[in-house]
């Protein structure tokens, strides 16, 4: 288990929303959003990767001090009679591994999304998932994040949205994702939301995804 000093010094992926506070909390007391919920949860994570969860189960009791710790934000939710005061923002695989390992407590970094617009919230989540040890962001995850913003009206009217507009947004937050993955995610988001796109420019894998 990390010491408090190690947790404090762990890399911070999104400094813009970091409060500088860390908390030692029972993972079961943190609400983990699901991908089928309405609103902003973490649309970049459609599902967890089972192999990655198993890796974290072996790793969680002796984690690397050079790895970012999971992030949470304040909330107030009542689910099945239980009150949650914290909501998971990043660290879905690690949180799942903690639950399976019955980890009593773990360090979490607090972020603040108060007064942020949807584009900034999802941008911070994209940025936190943009590091080497994370499960790679795929086309579907990128498309889901963009679709959430398109439906929220972040980019304006659907008929005015262009691929350049979406690419410029992603370029602000994603520095390690392959260009063809980003392009595929953009085209998928445009298609899902009724923005005209030429399917002939897609590769065979993308056509199957559609």
């Amino acid at each position: 288990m990390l010491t408090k000093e190690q947790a404090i010094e762990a890399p911070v992926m999104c400094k813009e929303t970091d409060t500088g506070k860390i908390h030692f909390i029972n993972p079961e007391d943190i609400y983990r959003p699901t991908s089928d919920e309405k609103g902003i949860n973490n649309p970049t994570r459609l599902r967890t990767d089972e192999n990655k969860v198993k890796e974290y189960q072996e790793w969680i009791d002796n984690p690397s001090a050079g790895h970012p710790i999971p992030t949470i934000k304040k909330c107030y939710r009542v689910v099945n009679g239980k009150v949650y005061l914290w909501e998971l923002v990043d660290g879905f695989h690690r949180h799942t591994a903690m639950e399976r390992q019955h980890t009593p407590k773990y360090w979490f970094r607090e972020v603040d999304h108060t007064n942020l617009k949807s584009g900034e919230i999802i941008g911070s989540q994209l940025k936190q998932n943009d590091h080497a040890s994370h499960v790679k962001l795929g086309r579907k995850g990128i498309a889901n994040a963009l679709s959430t913003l398109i439906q929220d009206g972040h980019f304006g009217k659907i008929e005015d949205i262009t691929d350049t507009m979406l690419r410029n947004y992603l370029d602000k937050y994603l520095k390690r994702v392959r260009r063809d993955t980003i392009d595929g995610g953009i085209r998928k988001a445009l298609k899902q939301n009724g923005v005209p796109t030429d399917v002939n420019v897609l590769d065979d894998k993308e056509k199957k995804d559609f």
Side-chain angles (χ1 to χ4, degrees), residues 10-178:
V12 179
M13 294 304 298
C14 196
K15 296 181 180 179
E16 296 87 346
T17 59
D18 181 44
T19 64
K21 301 176 183 177
I22 62 170
H23 304 278
F24 199 49
I25 303 175
N26 185 334
E28 292 185 358
D29 292 333
I30 298 172
Y31 179 73
R32 184 174 70 237
T34 58
S35 61
D36 58 347
E37 291 179 47
K38 299 287 185 181
I40 305 299
N41 44 72
N42 192 335
T44 67
R45 284 296 182 235
L46 294 173
R47 60 187 61 83
T48 53
D49 181 278
E50 185 61 27
N51 291 331
K52 193 67 175 179
V53 171
K54 290 179 179 177
E55 287 180 18
Y56 276 130
Q57 283 183 262
E58 297 177 359
W59 175 90
I60 207 70
D61 291 329
N62 188 29
S64 167
H67 194 289
I69 60 177
T71 57
I72 55 176
K73 65 180 179 181
K74 291 180 179 178
C75 74
Y76 184 84
R77 287 177 178 264
V78 180
V79 181
N80 297 325
K82 180 171 181 174
V83 177
Y84 292 89
L85 301 179
W86 298 103
E87 179 176 319
L88 189 68
V89 174
D90 177 64
F92 282 49
H93 291 90
R94 283 166 287 172
H95 189 268
T96 303
M98 291 174 207
E99 287 185 332
R100 294 186 186 179
Q101 292 297 97
H102 303 288
T103 303
K105 286 189 175 183
Y106 200 83
W107 291 107
F108 294 84
R109 185 177 298 281
E110 180 184 344
V111 297
D112 185 6
H113 287 172
T114 305
N115 298 323
L116 292 186
K117 296 179 180 179
S118 59
E120 295 169 311
I121 293 174
I122 290 181
S124 72
Q125 292 169 334
L126 287 167
K127 191 172 182 179
Q128 289 181 94
N129 284 306
D130 187 37
H131 67 80
S133 59
H134 261 63
V135 175
K136 292 181 179 179
L137 281 171
R139 294 172 181 174
K140 290 182 179 179
I142 290 173
N144 195 45
L146 291 175
S147 292
T148 301
L149 293 174
I150 290 172
Q151 293 163 18
D152 188 57
H154 177 76
F155 298 109
K157 295 180 180 179
I158 287 181
E159 58 267 29
D160 295 331
I161 295 174
T162 65
D163 61 345
T164 300
M165 188 183 298
L166 303 188
R167 185 173 289 103
N168 288 342
Y169 171 79
L170 292 175
D171 284 347
K172 290 169 56 179
Y173 302 105
L174 299 179
K175 307 302 180 184
R176 296 179 175 85
V177 178
R178 289 164 52 102

